[in-house]
Amino acid sequence: MNKRYVIAFPISLLAIFVLYAIFFQKALIYDQGKIPLSYKQLLLENTTPGNRIIFESGSNAHHSIDGETLEELTGHPVLILADNAGVYLPDKLSRLLHFTKPGDLIIMPLEWSYYTGQIHNEHLQHSMSDASHYFHSLKSLEKLKRTLETPISVLLNHAIQNGIFKKDSTDDDIKQLHRHIESEFLAAPYGGIKPDEVNPRKADPSSFGLSCDQYTYLGFDEHTPTQRNALLLSIELILKLKKQGINVVLIPPVVVGNDCYTENRPNFARSFAQLKSFLTSKGITFIGDPEIFKMSDEYYLDSPYHIIPEARKIYSIKLFELLDHHHIFTPGDKNTNTKETIGITLKQKLKKLEDFASQNLPPWNGALIQTNSLQSIPEIQFLTGWSSPETTHIWSLNKSSSIVFKPSEKAKNMNKIQLEANYFLVSELTGLDINGTPLESLDFSINSIISLPMPLSEYIDAHGLIKLTFKHTNPQRPIDNTDIQDSRLLKLQLKSISLKD
Amino acid sequence: MLFSSKEFILYFLPAVWISYIVISQFSGRRYAKIFIALASIVFYAWWKLEYLPILLISVVVNFFLSKYLLKNNYAYRKSILTAGIIFNLGLLGYFKYTYFIIDQLNIHTGTSFSFEPILLPLAISFFTFQQLAYLVDAYKNKVQPSVFFDYLLFVSFFPQLIAGPIVHHQEMMPQFEANNKQLPSWENLRQGVQIFIIGLFKKIVIADTLAIFADQGWAAPGQLTFFDAWGTTLCYTFQLYFDFSGYSDMAIGAALLFGIRLPLNFNSPYKALNIQDFWRRWHMTLSRWLRDYIYIPLGGSRVKEPKILLNLVITFLLGGIWHGAGWTFILWGLIHGLGTIIHRLWSRLKIPLPKWSAWLLTFVFIHFAWVFFRATSLEEAYHVAQAMIGINGVRIPQLYTEFINSILNYHLLGPDVPAWSGVIPSRVIFYLGFAAIIAFIPKNSGEITFEKPLRFPIIAALTSAAMILICILTSIDAEKSPFLYFNF
């Protein structure tokens, strides 16, 4: 028995590790769904590679790049993938290796912390769920390594919050994504920050708590070899990208504050010089002096790395001038229009999703559905033109919103549809069509509950579906009329829906 | 090099083990023993090279003293023994107690002697006690003469050098003699691997996790209220047990790979039904040492009752002092001495307590005593003890007030700020519950490993492998903390 244990132990160890690796990858990591879980990933996957300018970094670039301006200046599609400095740099680069082609240009205005970045638990957990594209972009061996480098605390938190065996996007996810991706596209088509994401401005930079230099401290010369592991790995990946014909350019990040780089200037200068020479010696292109991208207090948003939206254009032009001076850009095409291209792609994607979702709808017997249960009721599919459901209502988004449902055999004989809704700010009639046939306009300003005659059997399509499309006149943005930092175009506030005899 | 470190598990232990087997196969016992003694010296020097001369001086002096003690016809044996005891206690006293004594002298007599705190050489309490026992045993002719490298190996054998178990020469060295040219047995290998992994799991998964919560609470003892104080102290109570017993299991496991059976150091101490029972189960080799070399020489139980009681107090007091220089350790020793006296007197009344109440009373007593063991000052200990009896108030963490209010559907309890900032109380409760179940209910590592022949080897191997995986996943983002008994 003792001999059996001793022989079985190494085999068990191997078996347990293999089983765990399979469990980790199959049961814990979110699958790559029918549509990426983030708009930035959708951009990356659905723009034609080969001539794009891709910005990758943390929230610094997320806040500061004006995609439209740069697209106009360069004639190249601009993608802002930058999100958060907590994301592990090698993971960002592995994703780029996966989704870029020769001719693409990657610009990395990395926050200084990236140069000694360690992998954070928050990133590990995020890359198991909503940002699983980072995990899926890793090579097989890297995936295995990541499996054994993910702490148990991260696994437990992930399993508690997201469950296990989360397979392909479920119907509910599609509902969510639909609204999410569409609203992101409308608010920030290049992948930058959405207006409603912008924090309230802090008038006084000193209220941040840390001085600019404390927050943006580089300290490269003091780092131990182990602190350089992530950077060395990143360098390796950048060199791979370059080898594949993808140009990668590192530049200093934009910083805001009159006191930036002043507190400990000699140390910073020495440290920066060492960083630059270290990177250059490894074959990495690093352009620019940190001072070029230093902005004064008036552009301060909420941290020394975040500029106010009004400063984006100024910064982006400065960025263009620097890179153009170094002949980084290849000739572009003046007709480039990422917004339009991605808009068409998105519409096609959403249409596919709609078809999938509508054909898989369970029959609805017409019973009253209130908005607070819309997230969990699978019978009604909210298609394009809706925001995320709130406790008592769901807002329409933009000028048109659609829902689809499959009436049950009993419900097919019903003759009325009852809707409860209100308007945002302006009371103007709501147009309605059913499976393409226009009906009379609705006016919720007089009565918030409308019972509309509508014999369903006359309208049901070949798949047994009913699609209602609401047309909104004059939707409004809260940000334009109120103090709320919300840039959605809102009109109809739908509260409930039911079918009647 | 910690037993739970990658360097030890992946490099040092396998390299030394394979080399030992090869040397013993091809060069024989003598060279294998010399090799392992030298490897042990490297292991010790790895911590801090500066400690090494102290260990070597102690070994050399004791070895030469023992040479004379082992000569039956030598006239000055008693004087040599006395010199040996003075040397060892002097060495221990200098490094461990000088600062405390001078500090107390300055406080209480108004003197102003200046003496900087000395860094305590690692394992000094352990190797000093082990050698003191050897000298006494040599004086009593209980040990056989040995050559220098054998003696060096006896003191420095790396599995037990740093924090025990404290062994007798006669229980360890004959095992090295018996191992001549023999490959390690399957039984030793199985038991060694199995108990080593159990110890690793205890240390990494349980003790080091509880340490996070315990340290947070102990960092601000003045702020603790009833629930926080119990949470903090219970975390420490279980941390200490799993840390030290985990270390001992790993020591026993590592030694078994070399064919050496070290004595068990723990036997489910928190299952004890009285304080005497506790000391038969907790740090068993220290208890044995205190009994054999202090309690019995003082007269043990062969003297009159008041003297027995006094002997008990003295023994526990010295046990407390052995752990460290400070009033908290003295008080901790006295508390245990007093507890033992009360138990002895109660036993005479022959009024048996129900088993569960005897267990609860014993556990709560031990738990309270650990407050003094953990505290860095008496003031700190009083703060925590006060909080544990509710003097500092009772606060329910916000998470639970919300939960209770939601059950009652009424805002009965006001929210409060949890004293453990950043710690989710549910995690504390989960880990405490897990630790308590392991400590109170199932068989302990010794029983699992040694008691019966293994019945389900594949399941046992899979369990061990799964434990390794959990250890790896737990240790990724955990603080690497040394074993608590390294401080003593």
Side-chain angles (χ1 to χ4, degrees):
Chain A
M1 288 297 174
N2 292 315
K3 187 178 173 182
R4 273 197 196 174
Y5 173 94
V6 176
I7 294 166
F9 175 66
I11 300 166
S12 304
L13 205 56
L14 189 67
I16 288 276
F17 277 70
V18 169
L19 285 174
Y20 174 69
I22 294 170
F23 174 78
F24 184 89
Q25 295 188 27
K26 297 290 171 194
L28 293 175
I29 302 285
Y30 276 22
D31 269 4
Q32 282 174 302
K34 290 183 174 58
I35 193 161
L37 291 163
S38 89
Y39 179 68
K40 287 173 192 279
Q41 180 66 16
L42 181 128
L43 265 179
L44 186 60
E45 287 182 25
N46 293 282
T47 43
T48 314
N51 72 334
R52 301 171 297 182
I53 298 175
I54 299 169
F55 283 90
E56 184 58 292
S57 174
S59 62
N60 167 267
H62 180 62
H63 271 82
S64 58
I65 305 295
D66 181 341
E68 201 166 351
T69 302
L70 281 166
E71 190 169 282
E72 273 172 30
L73 289 167
T74 61
H76 289 280
V78 172
L79 277 61
I80 306 162
L81 302 184
D83 44 15
N84 188 300
V87 178
Y88 192 47
L89 186 57
D91 279 14
K92 283 181 170 290
L93 292 160
S94 296
R95 173 170 73 154
L96 289 169
L97 261 173
H98 208 77
F99 291 104
T100 49
K101 286 270 159 61
D104 281 337
L105 165 65
I106 298 166
I107 301 171
M108 307 188 89
L110 297 174
E111 284 93 336
W112 299 122
S113 60
Y114 266 121
Y115 293 102
T116 49
Q118 304 293 307
I119 197 157
H120 299 295
N121 282 356
E122 291 75 14
H123 168 65
L124 287 172
Q125 193 175 332
H126 199 212
S127 63
M128 295 173 81
S129 53
D130 292 348
S132 65
H133 42 261
Y134 286 123
F135 183 84
H136 291 298
S137 300
L138 297 173
K139 289 200 179 319
S140 302
L141 261 179
E142 285 296 314
K143 280 183 184 165
L144 199 64
K145 202 166 157 242
R146 181 62 52 85
T147 304
L148 291 174
E149 279 176 357
T150 304
I152 206 158
S153 53
V154 171
L155 299 182
L156 292 175
N157 281 341
H158 170 71
I160 291 165
Q161 285 168 21
N162 304 310
I164 56 171
F165 291 108
K166 186 106 175 179
K167 299 305 289 180
D168 205 343
S169 300
T170 61
D171 195 43
D172 274 351
D173 292 329
I174 290 169
K175 279 188 194 177
Q176 296 277 10
L177 285 170
H178 218 142
R179 287 185 285 272
H180 173 63
I181 300 268
E182 190 185 27
S183 66
E184 292 227 13
F185 165 70
L186 292 167
Y190 298 92
I193 191 162
K194 292 187 293 174
D196 58 323
E197 263 187 295
V198 179
N199 288 332
R201 189 175 176 183
K202 285 181 183 168
D204 180 11
S206 65
S207 64
F208 182 66
L210 291 171
S211 73
C212 180
D213 281 6
Q214 280 172 311
Y215 193 59
T216 62
Y217 179 62
L218 175 56
F220 182 78
D221 51 338
E222 292 169 10
H223 297 152
T224 60
T226 29
Q227 280 179 295
R228 296 242 168 116
N229 282 345
L231 181 60
L232 290 171
L233 189 55
S234 301
I235 289 171
E236 206 178 290
L237 292 164
I238 291 173
L239 294 176
K240 267 189 194 172
L241 280 161
K242 289 185 114 174
K243 208 173 168 187
Q244 290 182 11
I246 299 145
N247 196 7
V248 184
V249 177
L250 272 58
I251 55 171
V254 60
V255 294
V256 217
N258 295 338
D259 65 337
C260 289
Y261 307 136
T262 56
E263 208 174 273
N264 202 352
R265 181 180 281 277
N267 282 347
F268 183 87
R270 190 185 62 244
S271 187
F272 175 72
Q274 285 189 11
L275 167 72
K276 200 165 175 176
S277 99
F278 178 75
L279 292 171
T280 314
S281 71
K282 302 277 179 190
I284 305 292
T285 313
F286 192 106
I287 295 175
D289 185 275
E291 290 288 342
I292 302 174
F293 297 126
K294 176 179 157 179
M295 296 185 112
S296 58
D297 280 355
E298 63 185 298
Y299 298 112
Y300 187 91
L301 178 70
D302 57 356
S303 96
Y305 272 133
H306 295 166
I307 59 173
I308 55 171
E310 295 83 342
R312 262 179 236 154
K313 195 163 186 170
I314 304 168
Y315 166 67
S316 299
I317 292 171
K318 213 181 253 188
L319 188 71
F320 170 77
E321 286 167 355
L322 172 79
L323 296 175
D324 196 42
H325 178 73
H326 285 85
H327 310 293
I328 297 298
F329 301 116
T330 53
D333 176 359
K334 286 223 181 295
N335 296 320
T336 298
N337 191 334
T338 309
K339 203 169 168 178
E340 198 178 291
T341 317
I342 197 74
I344 294 164
T345 316
L346 191 67
K347 267 188 189 155
Q348 288 166 348
K349 285 257 164 200
L350 293 176
K351 179 78 178 70
K352 272 191 185 171
L353 273 176
E354 280 173 18
D355 292 346
F356 169 81
S358 355
Q359 281 158 27
N360 290 287
L361 280 177
W364 180 36
N365 62 11
L368 178 78
I369 294 176
Q370 285 176 317
T371 319
N372 58 3
S373 59
L374 283 173
Q375 286 195 85
S376 53
I377 297 283
E379 287 90 344
I380 301 254
Q381 178 69 55
F382 279 71
L383 304 174
T384 50
W386 298 100
S387 199
S388 298
E390 294 173 45
T391 322
T392 58
H393 57 265
I394 182 167
W395 282 111
S396 69
L397 212 56
N398 303 313
K399 295 190 171 179
S400 167
S401 325
S402 303
I403 58 169
V404 67
F405 58 88
K406 185 188 276 183
S408 66
E409 285 306 315
K410 193 184 158 199
K412 279 177 187 168
N413 300 320
M414 293 183 174
N415 295 310
K416 281 181 189 167
I417 184 161
Q418 185 172 294
L419 300 158
E420 183 186 2
N422 289 315
Y423 290 126
F424 177 65
L425 293 178
V426 187
S427 300
E428 285 182 56
L429 295 181
T430 304
L432 176 68
D433 75 44
I434 175 166
N435 284 355
T437 309
L439 296 179
E440 62 179 280
S441 295
L442 310 169
D443 187 355
F444 291 101
S445 60
I446 302 162
N447 192 343
S448 65
I449 299 176
I450 293 177
S451 227
L452 187 71
M454 194 178 68
L456 294 181
S457 53
E458 289 180 20
Y459 297 103
I460 290 175
D461 73 2
H463 299 292
L465 299 171
I466 293 281
K467 182 178 175 184
L468 300 178
T469 304
F470 301 89
K471 311 270 185 185
H472 314 295
T473 316
N474 200 13
Q476 299 287 314
R477 295 180 197 276
I479 197 169
D480 297 334
N481 301 287
T482 65
D483 292 337
I484 302 165
Q485 297 285 315
D486 185 345
S487 63
R488 292 174 298 170
L489 265 175
L490 309 178
K491 181 66 189 286
L492 191 71
Q493 186 192 49
L494 184 64
K495 292 188 160 183
S496 73
I497 181 168
S498 60
L499 299 175
K500 304 275 179 196
D501 284 328
Chain B
M1 210 173 348
L2 293 172
F3 281 175
S4 50
S5 68
K6 198 166 71 178
E7 295 79 26
F8 181 80
I9 295 171
L10 295 182
Y11 310 121
F12 183 84
L13 185 60
V16 173
W17 184 65
I18 291 167
S19 308
Y20 176 74
I21 290 170
V22 171
I23 295 170
S24 57
Q25 290 303 301
F26 294 102
S27 307
R29 179 190 65 214
R30 191 167 155 235
Y31 290 104
K33 282 196 293 184
I34 291 172
F35 167 75
I36 204 160
L38 294 175
S40 299
I41 293 301
V42 171
F43 174 79
Y44 186 79
W46 197 278
W47 297 95
K48 217 173 174 54
L49 198 60
E50 291 93 310
Y51 294 152
L52 187 58
I54 299 159
L55 172 72
L56 293 178
I57 289 168
S58 171
V59 168
V60 169
V61 171
N62 279 297
F63 175 73
F64 281 105
L65 289 174
S66 71
K67 283 273 165 212
Y68 291 100
L69 289 173
L70 287 164
K71 287 179 185 167
N72 275 330
N73 51 359
Y74 189 63
Y76 304 105
R77 287 176 76 237
K78 198 163 188 176
S79 309
I80 293 286
L81 178 65
T82 311
I85 291 170
I86 290 168
F87 167 74
N88 281 296
L89 292 181
L91 194 69
L92 188 61
Y94 175 74
F95 284 105
K96 204 162 179 173
Y97 306 109
T98 315
Y99 179 76
F100 174 70
I101 292 166
I102 290 178
D103 189 43
Q104 292 303 311
L105 208 66
N106 287 340
I107 290 169
H108 298 291
T109 63
T111 53
S112 54
F113 295 115
S114 158
F115 193 84
E116 289 299 309
I118 315 166
L119 202 58
L120 187 68
L122 189 69
I124 192 168
S125 306
F126 287 93
F127 67 68
T128 304
F129 265 38
Q130 192 156 310
Q131 293 185 99
L132 267 174
Y134 179 77
L135 291 184
V136 174
D137 289 351
Y139 179 75
K140 290 179 179 174
N141 289 318
K142 284 184 182 172
V143 291
Q144 294 299 313
S146 55
V147 295
F148 178 73
F149 272 105
D150 278 6
Y151 183 75
L152 179 65
L153 179 59
F154 157 63
V155 180
S156 68
F157 183 45
F158 72 87
Q160 53 83 230
L161 168 63
I162 308 296
I166 302 168
V167 290
H168 289 299
H169 185 271
Q170 60 270 34
E171 70 188 335
M172 189 165 86
M173 293 318 288
Q175 296 187 62
F176 278 106
E177 305 300 321
N179 282 345
N180 189 21
K181 290 203 174 186
Q182 276 180 7
L183 285 172
S185 71
W186 291 111
E187 188 183 30
N188 282 349
L189 282 180
R190 190 273 292 175
Q191 291 176 342
V193 170
Q194 204 176 4
I195 200 165
F196 188 91
I197 293 169
I198 294 174
L200 188 70
F201 186 87
K202 282 180 178 178
K203 166 68 179 161
I204 290 178
V205 180
I206 308 178
D208 285 356
T209 311
L210 289 172
I212 301 166
F213 311 133
D215 289 349
Q216 278 197 21
W218 276 102
Q223 291 172 22
L224 297 177
T225 60
F226 184 77
F227 287 112
D228 313 329
W230 275 92
T232 300
T233 50
L234 278 170
C235 282
Y236 181 71
T237 292
F238 288 111
Q239 179 205 350
L240 184 64
Y241 168 56
F242 285 107
D243 188 282
F244 193 21
S245 72
Y247 170 85
S248 298
D249 288 345
M250 279 189 266
I252 290 165
L256 270 169
L257 298 181
F258 298 88
I260 304 302
R261 280 181 186 270
L262 296 177
L264 287 176
N265 227 3
F266 289 87
N267 181 20
S268 302
Y270 292 156
K271 289 180 189 168
L273 298 179
N274 58 59
I275 190 69
Q276 195 180 15
D277 187 22
F278 171 77
W279 279 105
R280 286 196 192 110
R281 293 164 175 264
W282 178 274
H283 202 175
M284 289 148 74
T285 54
L286 175 69
S287 302
R288 181 179 70 173
W289 196 99
L290 291 170
R291 182 198 65 199
D292 293 349
Y293 300 100
I294 294 178
Y295 180 69
I296 292 174
L298 283 172
S301 306
R302 294 157 298 160
V303 289
K304 286 186 176 166
E305 189 65 18
K307 183 80 189 340
I308 292 175
L309 301 182
L310 182 67
N311 290 347
L312 281 171
V313 173
I314 292 170
T315 306
F316 279 104
L317 183 63
L318 291 174
I321 293 169
W322 177 85
H323 281 90
W327 290 111
T328 49
F329 287 114
I330 292 171
L331 206 58
W332 174 76
L334 280 174
I335 289 170
H336 272 276
L338 234 69
T340 313
I341 289 174
I342 293 167
H343 165 250
R344 194 178 169 87
L345 297 175
W346 178 268
S347 309
R348 298 207 152 196
L349 297 176
K350 298 203 186 306
I351 310 171
L353 284 174
K355 209 173 168 184
W356 68 267
S357 59
W359 166 79
L360 187 66
L361 198 64
T362 309
F363 180 73
V364 172
F365 173 83
I366 292 159
H367 175 65
F368 254 100
W370 287 136
V371 171
F372 292 88
F373 191 83
R374 171 63 176 81
T376 50
S377 67
L378 286 179
E379 195 189 2
E380 210 176 271
Y382 291 143
H383 274 305
V384 176
Q386 278 179 347
M388 286 172 76
I389 52 175
I391 291 175
N392 293 356
V394 177
R395 267 192 325 190
I396 298 175
Q398 192 170 7
L399 187 78
Y400 302 113
T401 57
E402 282 169 9
F403 176 68
I404 295 164
N405 286 333
S406 73
I407 287 178
L408 300 172
N409 200 21
Y410 186 72
H411 207 78
L412 266 184
L413 301 162
D416 207 339
V417 181
W420 281 318
S421 57
V423 175
I424 306 163
S426 313
R427 276 188 75 199
V428 180
I429 290 175
F430 172 79
Y431 277 102
L432 268 181
F434 181 61
I437 289 169
I438 303 282
F440 296 149
I441 299 169
K443 287 183 173 183
N444 60 47
S445 49
E447 290 164 343
I448 291 168
T449 314
F450 301 114
E451 230 175 37
K452 284 179 185 167
L454 192 64
R455 286 179 61 199
F456 305 107
I458 308 295
I459 293 173
L462 279 168
T463 310
S464 300
M467 286 166 87
I468 293 255
L469 178 68
I470 296 170
C471 287
I472 290 173
L473 298 180
T474 308
S475 64
I476 295 166
D477 62 343
E479 287 275 317
K480 306 280 177 287
S481 56
F483 292 91
L484 291 173
Y485 258 69
F486 286 13
N487 297 324
F488 309 131

